Amino acid sequence: MSSAAQTQADDLMQKIVSLCKRRGFVFQSSEIYGGLKSAYDYGPLGVELKRNLMNEWWRDMVHGRDNVVGLDASIIMHPNVWRASGHAAGFADPLVDCLVSKERFRADKAPRPAVGDELPITCADQGVAKTWAEIIEKRFGVVLDRDGKVLNGLKAISTTEFGFFAKGSTSAAKTWPWRGYVGPTFGSPFLSEERQFNLMFRTALGAVDPMNEVATHLAALTAAPDLATAVTERFGKDAQEGALAAALASGDRAKILRAAIEHITSPAMAYLRPETAQAMFVQFKNILDSSGQKVPFGIAQMGKSFRNEITVEHFIFRSCEFEQMEMEFFCEPGTQKEWMAYWKEQRMAWWKRYANDPSKFQFRQHAADEMAHYADDCYDVEYAYPWGWGELEGIASRTDYDLSQHEKHSGQKLRYTDQEKEDPATGKKPWQYLPYVIEPAAGATRAMLVYLIDAYHEEERRTATGEIEKRTVLKLHPRLAPIKVAILPLVKKDGMPEKAQELAAAFRKAGILAKCDEKASIGKRYAKHDEIGTPWCITIDGQTMQDGTVTLRDRDTTEQVRISMDQAVASVRERLS
Ligand code: GAP
């Protein structure tokens, strides 16, 4: 992205973030205490928008179909769920800190320059470059060549070594071991060791605080003359296998203590779910037995998920606590390709239905080396965010991996019996098999950001008096808009506020969210409701008091029509549906 495009993208995001705070869509969590990074609170308008969006998804995915049922599972599940799914192990990504900039990043995602490449460190500005050059001189004993905000002189000698080359010299004055990658933002090769970091949030279940037990064990272990012997004696057979055995073999005191603490606390450990999906696999049999569904059928769930994300970015695009809308569609093995085509078409149509600009949604098929090991195909629904194309929903063909893993770890049979079909292996009825799964998995909070970006418009119009008038308007789809109708008495007298309340009560009775608004001039009230995406404003004026008519103003065209007040609810209901 060019720097002009970057500035434009930052500018747009800043405007949206500012509107969200000013108008009560999204606030930084715990703001009065300085805020909590990567956690957000959804204010009076935000909670309506998020709920409307999730309700639309539920209406389409569950209520709109005979072969999909819903589930609302607990956030904390049995820890073995995450061992079976692979999250307990697979969620551990190696983390690295840059020793100069303090940037923290995932080693597996870092840029890998080729052997022989220069390794310039690109700082934020010249002042930072001067400071970092001094840090490097002090800590690593070399003076890098400063060119504006870039520090030169480092080069990749091999995949395991980099060195400092003084200007014009072909031999390295000093070398360091290297793991073949640099920090993603500044390009620094001066990095810490890789450390494991689990993306799942841990918590402890039970009345007894496991930290007491840790303290008791550690007091005894650290007082012993030899830690390894004390650990071996204390944990017996458990010390001969797994992480504890590996730590003992390493001889590293810190690793042994860490493994001992993990071992002591693991029986009480539970995790906040990092995806809503696993509950649908774990409850597959119960739902199959109780709902009367037959394969092919789906189980849908929406709700909170938690990931201790290393990089939280772009406002609510990636946060540690977020909401998902996921559906597991169980189908006969061999039919997964046709169901993938079906769900791709269905999901893309759903996203576009609520958008002003459908051209900003596209599919991206995952390359073979990008796909999860259990998937045989995967597509992302991508959106053209201000910073570029990025994921909004993943549609994965997950084979029978999850059900087979849960069968293995739980010891329970999760097979489906089709009495009408012959088993292809034996040629005999019935056919018992583990269904294959197509999973459309979308982020609800991310979707909210997408529709805010899509809806945000700045417009200029010539007024009746010939002046140029600017307005900011959120062109949210009426079904997503937090408030459907604003009812505006022209003045705060002559019975108009009472008429407005009367009409608002009629809307409430019809289940349509309407709000009376009496503050400020009528022009300012229109501007406010344009900015928060209210699709219709109804004005009660002098004529209303005489002939019972009101004006209905359309947010997007700003055109007004005069209708009977008695018809107002029916008219809005018709437009909404
Ligand atoms: N069960 C599959 C699964 O969870 P995923 O691609 O990791 O797949 C699905 O997540 C969707 O959830 C993503 O496409 C994204 O919209 C949303 N999502 C994932 N991590 C998120 C985060 N940290 N913050 C906000 N949304 C997130």
Side-chain angles (χ1 to χ4, degrees), residues 260-377:
I261 295 169
E262 289 281 348
H263 185 75
I264 299 160
T265 52
S266 68
M269 277 307 155
Y271 303 91
L272 302 190
R273 68 180 179 204
E275 60 171 22
T276 55
Q278 289 306 317
M280 273 90 91
F281 299 118
V282 172
Q283 292 295 2
F284 167 73
K285 199 83 172 90
N286 273 337
I287 291 177
L288 186 68
D289 294 346
S290 62
S291 69
Q293 289 289 340
K294 286 191 161 60
V295 169
F297 80 103
I299 308 175
Q301 175 167 221
M302 41 187 205
K304 296 247 179 183
S305 290
F306 302 82
R307 293 182 196 176
N308 207 352
E309 297 279 8
I310 295 158
T311 326
V312 283
E313 53 186 351
H314 304 308
F315 193 34
I316 55 173
F317 174 81
R318 193 186 309 284
S319 47
C320 288
E321 179 178 340
F322 55 101
E323 300 217 39
Q324 289 187 303
M325 310 182 290
E326 299 195 282
M327 198 269 295
E328 309 304 322
F329 193 78
F330 300 92
C331 61
E332 202 179 289
T335 63
Q336 66 270 30
K337 273 196 168 47
E338 64 198 71
W339 283 113
M340 170 60 103
Y342 172 80
W343 284 111
K344 271 178 66 194
E345 186 273 319
Q346 291 285 305
R347 294 301 305 141
M348 186 55 98
W350 188 86
W351 288 113
K352 291 186 174 180
R353 196 177 304 155
Y354 301 93
N356 290 285
D357 188 352
S359 72
K360 290 201 166 169
F361 295 79
Q362 70 174 20
F363 279 120
R364 187 182 67 81
Q365 188 174 21
H366 281 208
D369 59 357
E370 188 188 356
M371 216 135 55
H373 58 284
Y374 49 78
D376 65 8
D377 203 1

Side-chain angles (χ1 to χ4, degrees), residues 421-430:
K421 289 209 169 137
E422 290 165 1
D423 184 333
T426 61
K428 289 192 185 135
K429 286 184 188 171

